[in-house]
């Protein structure tokens, strides 16, 4: 029996144990955006470091410094750098993942406690972080542990970089990657990131593009304090009224961005790209099912994918300072901040996006004739990433996928963002591959986030099979 087949057999034998490990880490509520949970984020990083060290990996904990979270000064959680194996005859694969998660409260509408992993009869493993990104991060660890325990040769040198701030903009990480490019990351042959999802629910995929994100706060400041609407309504310029007007000028109900010039930098479509939409596992039916209501804008699947992958989009997220509690309150809020973001695509430049958005909002605000004070603040900008799926790194991953799932993977791009992808590519000068474990309906960031047991277990096999394929792939082979 080949090493890979032996590995697959062991993974099948240890399924329940692997689920228990996922349960253990889901129970650590490592929510990076919540100051009161920062200790849990750190604990999660330490858990990973300890487990890898127990296996014999050399780790380096990098503490990126301080963060100012709404006036509270916090220590940023550690970036855990690691090296597992150091054999000059083996290739070196760098893997990245994040151990922080999105917030989750039972009251948000979860059917079960978000930080208690529940194994459902239909195979779903429900819990915050199960698919984003604790399942995949564990995948690498369990793969290495399984090889070691069975005395199987580990096919590559593995380097890893696990961070605890991804869901909050990866603060501090870019600087660390730049600083370590010729040090800790030296000798990296390829990078693999498992932090995205299949296009559907049955066919695996490899991903070669991500959108960037430019996030803005639009602040309107009026009176020095909140006002009684009975006394002041109709007699003062209300910040909330200005804000609602301005937000409504950003995007129309069909998703068309109204900021002039915003589509100018969008890459033209090539014939190759047009062909790439054919034969993908993607249907509006399934999508409407996942959404629990058919609210899809476009009539054609291809258009939906294009608006997810190759066009910029603008979403409005919320309003800080507005009255939002249940019941009625006749108040005029004194200061409000509307929050919105654009997902950016090749070849948009974040600086240009910020300039266009700011100019436009200034002009629209001037039209209102309001005496309030408006400010546009760009809170973070992450760049898009687009790469060729023909590199031997992708070929190796495609072979691994066929071996585990028996089908050739779809080649996809994503609408979401992992800004650090480009940082690795640029600073290490090597190919980066996105190799997802979870499925389209996993509900990352949502209530009842899950990973299917099938995807988790096969995913652990997939990551291992990929490393074995890399070991026998000529990475210098010319790419088509
Ligand atoms: N795993 C996601 C990235 C992702 C989302 C990939 C959707 C594919 C589809 C990641 O954890 C994430 O949520 N990223 C944030 C980045 C942001 C905070 C800069 C995102 O996309 O909103
Ligand atoms: Mn993620
Ligand atoms: Mn996420």
């Amino acid at each position: 029996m080949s090493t890979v087949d032996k590995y697959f057999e062991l993974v099948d034998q240890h399924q329940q144990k692997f689920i228990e490990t996922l349960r253990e880490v889901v129970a650590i509520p490592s929510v990076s955006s919540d100051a009161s949970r920062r200790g849990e984020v750190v604990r999660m990083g330490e858990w990973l470091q300890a487990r890898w060290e127990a296996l014999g990996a050399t780790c380096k904990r990098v503490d990126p410094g301080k963060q100012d979270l709404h006036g509270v000064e916090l220590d940023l959680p550690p970036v855990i750098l690691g090296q597992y194996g150091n054999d000059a005859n083996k290739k070196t694969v760098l893997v990245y993942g994040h151990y922080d998660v999105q917030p989750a409260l039972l009251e948000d509408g979860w059917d079960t406690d978000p930080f208690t992993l529940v194994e459902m009869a239909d195979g779903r493993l429900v819990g915050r972080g199960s698919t984003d990104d604790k399942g995949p991060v564990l995948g690498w660890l369990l793969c290495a542990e399984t090889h070691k325990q069975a005395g199987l040769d580990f096919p590559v040198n593995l380097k890893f970089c696990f961070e605890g701030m991804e869901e909050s903009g990866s603060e501090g990480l870019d600087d660390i990657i730049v600083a370590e490019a010729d040090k800790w990351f030296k000798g990296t042959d390829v990078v693999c990131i498992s932090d995205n999802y299949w296009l559907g629910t049955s066919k695996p995929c490899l991903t070669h593009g991500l959108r960037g994100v430019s996030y803005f706060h639009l602040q309107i400041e009026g009176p020095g304090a909140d006002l009684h609407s009975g006394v002041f309504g109709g007699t003062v310029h209300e910040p909330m009224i200005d804000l609602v007007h301005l937000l409504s000028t950003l995007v129309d109900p069909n998703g068309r961005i109204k900021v002039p010039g915003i589509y100018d930098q969008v890459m033209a479509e090539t014939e190759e790209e047009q062909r790439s939409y054919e034969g993908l596992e993607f249907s509006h039916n399934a999508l409407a099912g996942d959404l629990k209501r058919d609210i899809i804008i476009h009539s054609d699947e291809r258009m939906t994918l294009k608006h997810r992958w190759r066009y910029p989009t603008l979403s409005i997220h919320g309003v800080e300072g507005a009255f939002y509690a249940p019941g009625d309150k006749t108040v005029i809020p004194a200061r409000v901040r509307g929050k919105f973001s654009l997902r950016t695509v090749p070849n948009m430049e974040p600086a240009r996006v910020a300039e266009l958005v700011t100019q436009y909002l200034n002009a629209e605000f001037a039209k209102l004739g309001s005496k309030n004070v408006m400010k546009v603040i760009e809170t973070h900008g992450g760049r898009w990433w687009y790469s060729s799926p023909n590199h031997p790194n992708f070929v190796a991953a495609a072979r691994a996928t066929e071996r585990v799932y028996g089908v050739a993977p779809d080649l996809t791009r994503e609408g979401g963002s992992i800004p650090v992808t480009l940082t690795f590519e640029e600073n290490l000068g090597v190919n980066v591959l996105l190799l997802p474990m979870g499925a389209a309906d996993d509900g990352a960031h949502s209530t009842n986030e899950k990973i299917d047991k099938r995807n988790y277990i096969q995913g652990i096999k997939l990551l291992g099979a990929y490393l074995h394929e890399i070991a026998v792939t000529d990475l210098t082979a010319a790419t088509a």
Side-chain angles (χ1 to χ4, degrees):
M1 195 187 270
S2 75
T3 308
V4 178
D5 288 327
K6 182 72 196 155
Y7 170 64
F8 286 0
E9 193 178 281
L10 290 164
V11 172
D12 282 329
Q13 281 166 16
H14 292 143
Q15 293 184 37
Q16 211 49 46
K17 194 179 81 183
F18 294 162
I19 291 170
E20 292 317 314
T21 311
L22 186 58
R23 193 187 310 283
E24 194 180 331
V25 298
V26 164
I28 303 175
S30 50
V31 180
S32 55
S33 62
D34 182 345
S36 72
R37 301 281 209 192
R38 186 53 56 88
E40 300 293 331
V41 185
V42 173
R43 188 154 76 89
M44 185 61 226
E46 289 170 348
W47 185 100
L48 275 174
Q49 179 172 356
R51 198 81 181 216
W52 274 103
E53 281 176 348
L55 199 60
T58 309
C59 290
K60 173 162 134 175
R61 169 184 171 146
V62 185
D63 289 288
K66 304 270 186 204
Q67 175 199 12
D68 177 10
L69 191 69
H70 321 300
V72 187
E73 200 182 59
L74 287 173
D75 285 324
L76 286 164
V79 173
I80 308 296
L81 302 179
Q83 167 94 37
Y84 182 64
N86 193 2
D87 180 339
N89 296 314
K90 289 180 181 173
K91 293 184 187 93
T92 299
V93 177
L94 168 65
V95 301
Y96 158 87
H98 62 93
Y99 61 79
D100 63 320
V101 296
Q102 286 280 323
L105 298 169
L106 191 58
E107 306 89 274
D108 295 340
W110 286 72
D111 294 330
T112 53
D113 174 50
F115 297 105
T116 304
L117 188 81
V118 181
E119 196 177 345
M120 301 290 183
D122 59 6
R124 284 180 300 143
L125 305 170
V126 179
R128 175 56 88 222
S130 54
T131 195
D132 186 13
D133 183 29
K134 287 178 171 173
V137 165
L138 279 189
W140 300 113
L141 173 72
L142 297 171
C143 169
E145 286 181 350
T146 303
H147 278 77
K148 173 113 185 232
Q149 283 155 13
L152 301 179
D153 180 48
F154 201 67
V156 298
N157 303 314
L158 196 72
K159 286 182 194 279
F160 48 82
C161 173
F162 298 129
E163 68 152 320
M165 278 299 280
E166 195 275 345
E167 299 292 8
S168 302
S170 296
E171 212 173 318
L173 184 60
D174 272 358
D175 292 346
I176 293 171
I177 295 171
V178 172
E180 296 289 350
D182 291 326
K183 297 179 184 134
W184 196 272
F185 298 129
K186 195 179 158 90
T188 298
D189 291 304
V190 286
V191 177
C192 181
I193 299 176
S194 187
D195 184 26
N196 70 301
Y197 321 99
W198 293 355
L199 197 49
T201 53
S202 59
K203 195 169 169 206
C205 66
L206 310 179
T207 305
H208 63 101
L210 291 160
R211 290 195 295 180
V213 59
S214 292
Y215 208 107
F216 297 91
H217 290 190
L218 171 57
Q219 179 173 283
I220 314 278
E221 275 182 299
D226 288 358
L227 301 174
H228 191 297
S229 65
V231 181
F232 295 100
T235 66
V236 298
H237 291 289
E238 297 190 19
M240 193 64 186
I241 293 177
D242 290 354
L243 180 66
V244 168
H245 269 277
L246 291 178
L247 290 177
S248 76
T249 67
L250 290 172
V251 62
D252 78 18
N254 286 319
R256 179 101 197 148
I257 304 173
K258 299 203 271 187
V259 179
I262 208 77
Y263 292 99
D264 290 355
Q265 293 186 315
V266 175
M267 184 171 77
E269 224 177 298
T270 62
E271 271 175 41
E272 189 188 356
E273 184 193 327
Q274 277 172 19
R275 279 194 302 274
S276 73
Y277 296 100
E278 278 157 32
L280 301 175
E281 192 216 8
F282 184 73
S283 81
H284 275 175
N285 256 341
L287 179 60
D290 293 346
L291 292 167
K292 307 280 186 271
R293 176 167 289 140
D294 182 357
I295 52 167
I296 301 166
I297 292 175
H298 308 283
S299 52
D300 161 25
E301 267 104 358
R302 222 172 260 243
M303 269 328 249
T304 297
L305 287 180
K306 287 184 185 178
H307 283 273
R308 186 183 290 183
W309 295 353
R310 65 141 19 255
Y311 292 124
T313 52
L314 189 154
S315 299
I316 298 175
H317 308 296
V319 177
E320 202 174 303
F323 169 62
Y324 67 92
D328 310 340
K329 182 181 181 191
T330 48
V331 67
I332 297 172
R335 185 171 102 162
V336 287
R337 259 186 183 217
K339 303 188 181 179
F340 65 94
S341 71
L342 285 99
R343 294 288 169 164
T344 56
V345 299
N347 294 308
M348 294 168 79
E349 296 156 33
R352 179 77 184 139
V353 171
E355 185 183 314
L356 290 172
V357 167
T358 309
Q359 273 173 8
Y360 175 64
L361 283 171
N362 279 326
E364 289 299 313
F365 183 62
K367 286 188 200 165
L368 301 182
S370 168
K371 292 184 184 170
N372 292 320
V373 177
M374 184 200 83
K375 222 178 354 185
V376 181
I377 305 142
E378 190 194 13
T379 53
H380 68 246
R383 292 172 301 163
W384 48 264
W385 166 74
Y386 181 73
S387 151
S388 159
N390 300 323
H391 189 274
N393 194 23
F394 281 75
V395 175
R399 285 208 196 98
T401 304
E402 291 209 47
R403 194 145 183 188
V404 173
Y405 286 101
V407 289
D410 278 339
L411 296 175
T412 68
R413 292 161 68 181
E414 278 283 12
S417 311
I418 311 173
V420 76
T421 310
L422 190 63
T423 314
F424 280 124
E425 189 178 275
E426 288 180 346
N427 289 280
L428 308 190
V430 298
N431 184 266
V432 184
L433 155 80
L434 260 59
L435 182 58
M437 184 183 265
D441 63 347
D442 283 357
H445 296 201
S446 185
T447 50
N448 302 321
E449 175 183 348
K450 61 87 177 168
I451 190 163
D452 290 322
K453 180 175 171 184
R454 194 267 300 240
N455 284 57
Y456 181 52
I457 298 303
Q458 301 294 71
I460 296 167
K461 291 183 195 171
L462 177 64
L463 300 184
Y466 161 71
L467 297 178
H468 282 277
E469 288 293 344
I470 283 290
V472 298
T473 297
D474 178 5
L475 292 175
T476 61
T479 63

